Amino acid sequence: MVVKSNEMVKQVRSELKGGKGDIHFLNCVDKDTIPNCRLLAYMTVPEKCSIGEHEHLKETECYVIRSGKGVVIDNGERIEIEAGDVVITGDGDIHSVINTGNTPLEILAFIVMN
């Protein structure tokens, strides 16, 4: 199977999980395409925007940071992130993401069900 970029669905979510600003998604597949995969998307977090704190239950979320800089609050710990880093949030973990840079924070995100 090949999913062409022009087949992917664009979406904008405002104040995602209580965060600030508009987060842009390019959804690579819908949730029924890959078994146990709830999300596979490119996310763009604009300057001064964020994804609010939230918990993952019975799933694991991974972020591959493609470009930009930011901060992840990982179970209460503040950790700086940049291009090339991978963030893993497992079952029962809590996280949020803040763009602290002066360019968009580009993330490849996927969520798999445990």
Side-chain angles (χ1 to χ4, degrees), residues 56-74:
H56 287 273
L57 297 173
K58 299 182 180 178
E59 63 186 21
T60 299
E61 181 169 43
C62 294
Y63 291 158
V64 178
I65 310 305
R66 299 176 63 219
S67 65
K69 292 184 178 185
V71 168
V72 167
I73 310 297
D74 181 37

Side-chain angles (χ1 to χ4, degrees), residues 12-80:
V12 176
R13 297 180 63 186
S14 298
E15 300 178 358
L16 183 61
K17 306 289 185 183
K20 296 180 182 175
D22 293 336
I23 309 303
H24 300 261
F25 285 78
L26 180 61
N27 294 297
C28 301
V29 297
D30 65 34
K31 65 181 181 177
D32 298 321
T33 304
I34 303 171
N36 299 318
C37 181
R38 189 168 70 80
L39 174 77
L40 176 57
Y42 293 107
M43 296 188 321
T44 302
V45 182
E47 295 175 54
K48 301 179 184 173
C49 293
S50 63
I51 299 170
E53 185 176 81
H54 60 283
E55 183 177 17
H56 287 273
L57 297 173
K58 299 182 180 178
E59 63 186 21
T60 299
E61 181 169 43
C62 294
Y63 291 158
V64 178
I65 310 305
R66 299 176 63 219
S67 65
K69 292 184 178 185
V71 168
V72 167
I73 310 297
D74 181 37
N75 292 307
E77 182 181 357
R78 185 180 178 93
I79 304 168
E80 292 187 15

Side-chain angles (χ1 to χ4, degrees), residues 21 32 46 56 69 89-90 96-97 105-107:
D32 298 321
H56 287 273
K69 292 184 178 185
T89 305
S96 62
V97 178
L105 180 60
E106 301 281 343
I107 300 169

Side-chain angles (χ1 to χ4, degrees), residues 86-97:
V86 175
V87 178
I88 301 168
T89 305
D91 184 19
D93 289 339
I94 298 170
H95 71 151
S96 62
V97 178

